């Protein structure tokens, strides 16, 4: 693949000269195409959409509707109305928990989640269980491979009403077999909720092929602006669900006694919507599709495999999870003997290398693996083999710089 770094103005900034950005699992950078789309909307078409009858508002409405259609195609939805715009994946998951789970769960029901979930796909289900009397059931993963053993899926049974699973772990990089899990959930009369925040930027996703009932994602993970994300949900489920938030734009009619709701998807988008963010997210999706998600997936796997290979040769560096870099979706989490992950991050920052350190909003996984804090290097399609070499050269010196 060609070097796409020139598409990203942040790397051309003098203060960022030589920067190795390996924190893509936290947020990706924005290409010029996305910045241009944002600027064009706010300079030429900015207005409050949906209700205005004048030309500027009509153009804003059209831009918003077009963005929804682009995102629907990007995730493989059957229709644009199955895309709800939210602030991020966390809000999308909360929408499902408050609107679907609270209306459908009862005491004795079970919610199946995995130990590798991000807090955003744990806390909403803890809330739902506490409010309804349902029970959380945990799928454990193999500590060496990072994969969920087949026997664990026996925990999905007739009591299961919701299966909430990450598509790709933000710590282990594991890609879970969502299509097979969805089939098992449906066989038992349950719905499947997928946290796609780490998957959508890196691998081709088709929600219809996966047969996901709900699929949550954040735009900033795949080169879109912050503050915009989405939820895919099957239309028949959305039609039956009550609104999550109430306010302007999501109503059809209001009286002193009550209200009727606007049709899907407006029913779930209360208040003035983030048109600029939606336009930027659509531009990011189109940009990635031009590169080709298959090409991005292949590049990320190849680069991560190279990274794991080189890191494995450095004494005292311990990779957490699978040692097969091609199965990590560009995410490599590690520790260094005797050096706290925060110190690893700070030392590498002095070499203009940006990585993440901490529990990565996945504390139950850290407790399970008995590694409460780790360092994480996460790659994307604009990273290069040369950057991997420079990263590993610096990594090999960390213990020495720490006084060992």
């Amino acid at each position: 693949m060609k070097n796409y770094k020139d598409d990203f103005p942040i790397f051309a900034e003098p203060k960022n000269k030589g920067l190795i950005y390996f924190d893509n699992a936290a947020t990706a950078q924005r290409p010029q195409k996305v910045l241009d789309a944002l600027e064009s909307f706010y300079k030429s078409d900015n207005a409050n959409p949906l209700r205005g009858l004048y030309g500027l508002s009509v153009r804003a409405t059209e831009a918003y509707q077009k963005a929804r259609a682009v995102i629907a195609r990007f995730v493989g939805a059957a229709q644009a109305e199955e895309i709800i715009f939210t602030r991020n994946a966390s809000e999308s998951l909360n929408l499902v928990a408050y609107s679907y789970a609270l209306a459908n769960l009862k005491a004795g029901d079970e919610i199946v989640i995995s130990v590798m979930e991000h807090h955003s796909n744990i806390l909403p289900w803890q809330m739902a269980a506490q409010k309804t009397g349902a029970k959380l059931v945990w799928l454990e993963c193999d500590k060496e491979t990072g994969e969920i053993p087949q026997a664990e899926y026996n925990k999905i049974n007739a009591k299961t009403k919701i299966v909430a699973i990450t598509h790709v772990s933000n710590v282990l990089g594991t890609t879970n077999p969502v299509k097979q899990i969805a089939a098992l959930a449906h066989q038992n009369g349950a719905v499947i909720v997928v946290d796609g925040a780490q998957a959508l930027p890196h691998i081709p996703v088709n929600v219809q092929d996966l047969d996901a009932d709900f699929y949550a994602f954040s735009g900033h993970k795949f080169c879109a602006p912050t503050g915009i994300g989405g939820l895919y949900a099957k239309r028949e489920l959305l039609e039956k669900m009550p609104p999550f938030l109430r306010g302007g734009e999501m109503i059809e009619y209001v009286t002193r006694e009550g209200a009727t709701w606007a049709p899907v998807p407006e029913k779930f988008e209360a208040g003035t919507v983030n048109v600029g963010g939606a336009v930027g997210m659509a531009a990011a999706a189109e940009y990635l599709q031009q590169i080709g998600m298959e090409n991005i997936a292949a590049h990320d796997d190849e680069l991560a495999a190279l990274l794991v290979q080189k890191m494995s040769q450095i004494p005292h560096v311990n990779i957490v999870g699978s040692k097969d870099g091609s199965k990590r979706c560009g995410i490599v989490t590690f520790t260094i003997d005797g050096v706290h992950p925060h110190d690893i991050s700070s030392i590498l920052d002095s070499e203009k290398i940006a990585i993440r350190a901490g529990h990565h909003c996945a504390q139950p996984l850290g407790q399970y693996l008995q590694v409460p804090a780790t360092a994480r290097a996460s790659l994307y399609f604009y990273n290069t083999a040369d950057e991997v070499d420079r990263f590993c050269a610096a990594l090999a010196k960390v213990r020495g710089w720490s006084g060992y």
Side-chain angles (χ1 to χ4, degrees):
M1 230 166 70
K2 78 168 193 177
N3 188 346
Y4 284 92
K5 199 169 254 77
D6 289 345
D7 290 353
F8 294 78
I10 195 167
F11 295 119
E13 286 290 311
K15 59 187 174 183
N16 296 327
K17 184 178 180 181
L19 172 67
I20 297 177
Y21 186 76
F22 277 9
D23 195 24
N24 295 285
T27 197
Q29 297 301 335
R30 282 99 194 117
Q32 187 64 51
K33 180 175 181 179
V34 170
L35 302 178
D36 289 345
L38 284 169
E39 182 181 28
S40 176
F41 172 76
Y42 283 116
K43 287 177 69 173
S44 303
D45 299 315
N46 181 53
N48 205 312
L50 304 177
R51 300 295 182 186
L53 301 178
Y54 54 93
L56 198 59
S57 180
V58 170
R59 293 205 302 273
T61 301
E62 290 173 347
Y64 192 59
Q65 292 172 337
K66 178 185 176 183
R68 196 188 306 277
V70 168
I71 297 302
R73 289 193 296 271
F74 186 51
V75 303
Q79 49 188 289
E81 290 77 14
E82 293 179 319
I83 300 297
I84 309 298
F85 284 126
T86 62
R87 289 184 304 128
N88 44 46
S90 297
E91 184 174 296
S92 297
L93 294 165
N94 274 275
L95 190 163
V96 181
Y98 277 93
S99 186
Y100 180 84
L102 294 187
N104 288 277
L105 292 177
K106 65 182 185 304
D109 289 342
E110 293 183 351
I111 306 167
V112 174
I113 64 176
S114 84
V115 72
M116 68 179 74
E117 299 307 313
H118 188 283
H119 294 164
S120 293
N121 205 28
I122 296 176
L123 299 180
W125 310 115
Q126 289 180 337
M127 176 280 301
Q130 290 164 2
K131 287 183 177 294
T132 63
K135 176 186 176 183
L136 282 184
V137 176
W138 294 82
L139 302 176
E140 313 289 3
C141 68
D142 184 283
K143 294 181 180 180
E144 295 298 321
T145 67
E147 297 177 348
I148 299 172
Q150 194 64 37
E152 284 292 294
Y153 295 120
N154 293 331
K155 294 176 180 177
I156 301 173
N157 54 46
K159 292 182 179 180
T160 307
K161 301 305 174 187
I162 295 172
V163 178
I165 191 82
T166 185
H167 198 168
V168 169
S169 165
N170 74 311
V171 176
L172 300 171
T174 304
T175 301
N176 286 314
V178 167
K179 186 173 182 177
Q180 289 79 6
I181 299 171
L184 185 57
H186 295 152
Q187 288 169 17
N188 285 278
V191 299
I192 183 169
V193 184
V194 185
D195 176 1
Q198 289 298 335
L200 195 58
H202 295 279
I203 60 177
V205 169
N206 185 303
V207 291
Q208 291 186 81
D209 180 62
L210 295 173
D211 202 13
D213 297 296
F214 301 95
Y215 196 98
F217 53 93
S218 290
H220 72 95
K221 305 281 190 185
F222 63 89
C223 303
T226 55
I228 187 71
L231 173 70
Y232 159 80
K234 291 179 179 177
R235 178 106 186 220
E236 58 267 29
L237 294 173
L238 291 173
E239 296 288 359
K240 297 175 183 177
M241 290 162 52
F244 172 40
L245 301 172
R246 289 161 168 78
E249 307 295 358
M250 52 73 64
I251 52 86
E252 183 180 62
Y253 196 76
V254 177
T255 67
R256 292 192 181 196
E257 292 74 30
T260 56
W261 312 128
V264 171
E266 287 82 7
K267 179 172 74 170
F268 295 99
E269 296 178 357
T272 298
V273 295
N274 183 2
V275 187
V279 167
M281 186 160 66
E286 290 178 327
Y287 171 76
L288 295 183
Q289 286 175 314
Q290 288 173 358
I291 297 172
M293 291 307 301
E294 296 84 357
N295 295 329
I296 291 173
H299 172 272
D300 292 350
D301 286 348
E302 181 179 348
L303 204 61
L306 177 65
L307 178 58
V308 168
Q309 175 194 342
K310 290 181 174 293
M311 288 176 64
S312 298
Q313 298 169 0
I314 303 173
H316 303 287
V317 171
N318 313 295
I319 294 172
V320 179
S322 174
K323 306 307 184 290
D324 185 346
S326 66
K327 293 184 177 181
R328 300 194 62 115
C329 240
I331 295 171
V332 183
T333 310
F334 64 97
T335 61
I336 297 179
D337 294 338
V339 187
H340 193 280
H342 289 169
D343 294 331
I344 298 172
S345 179
S346 295
I347 291 169
L348 292 178
D349 180 54
S350 68
E351 296 293 300
K352 302 205 76 170
I353 299 171
I355 67 165
R356 183 71 39 165
H359 54 64
H360 313 297
C361 293
Q363 286 181 296
L365 178 61
Q367 293 160 3
Y368 175 70
L369 297 175
Q370 297 182 321
V371 280
T374 57
R376 182 184 70 191
S378 50
L379 315 174
Y380 209 12
F381 64 93
Y382 45 68
N383 292 126
T384 66
D386 177 66
E387 289 179 329
V388 167
D389 290 340
R390 290 170 53 202
F391 169 82
C392 289
L395 197 65
K397 300 176 182 177
V398 166
R399 273 178 56 90
W401 289 332
S402 300
Y404 289 96

